[in-house]
Amino acid sequence: FHRVSGGTENIVARVTAHELGHVLHLQHRQERDALMASARNGTALNRQEIMDARKRALEISGQTLQP
């Protein structure tokens, strides 16, 4: 596990958030500060990841994204 500047020290919360990202169909992204980076403590999501995660969460709940 590699620490990055601005990353979280709460490893359990970070791994949980990372795995939840996979539930929402987010893929690994290897930028050092990314939540979806493997073996890092980053927490960042880019704009597209946020939009994709919101869309997938709504799909799971049976709703659709409103413009």
Side-chain angles (χ1 to χ4, degrees), residues 24-42:
L24 297 173
H25 294 183
L26 299 181
Q27 301 299 312
H28 285 141
R29 183 168 62 93
Q30 294 310 320
E31 285 83 356
R32 292 179 53 88
D33 65 342
L35 174 64
M36 296 310 296
S38 301
R40 305 245 180 230
N41 68 331

Side-chain angles (χ1 to χ4, degrees), residues 11-66:
I11 304 306
V12 172
R14 195 270 179 195
V15 170
T16 302
H18 175 95
E19 295 306 323
L20 182 56
H22 287 306
V23 170
L24 297 173
H25 294 183
L26 299 181
Q27 301 299 312
H28 285 141
R29 183 168 62 93
Q30 294 310 320
E31 285 83 356
R32 292 179 53 88
D33 65 342
L35 174 64
M36 296 310 296
S38 301
R40 305 245 180 230
N41 68 331
T43 58
L45 291 173
N46 65 31
R47 182 176 299 229
Q48 187 63 52
E49 288 169 323
I50 293 168
M51 288 176 26
D52 291 347
R54 285 179 178 165
K55 180 180 178 193
R56 181 63 185 141
L58 288 171
E59 289 170 356
I60 290 169
S61 69
Q63 301 177 41
T64 57
L65 188 62
Q66 301 297 319

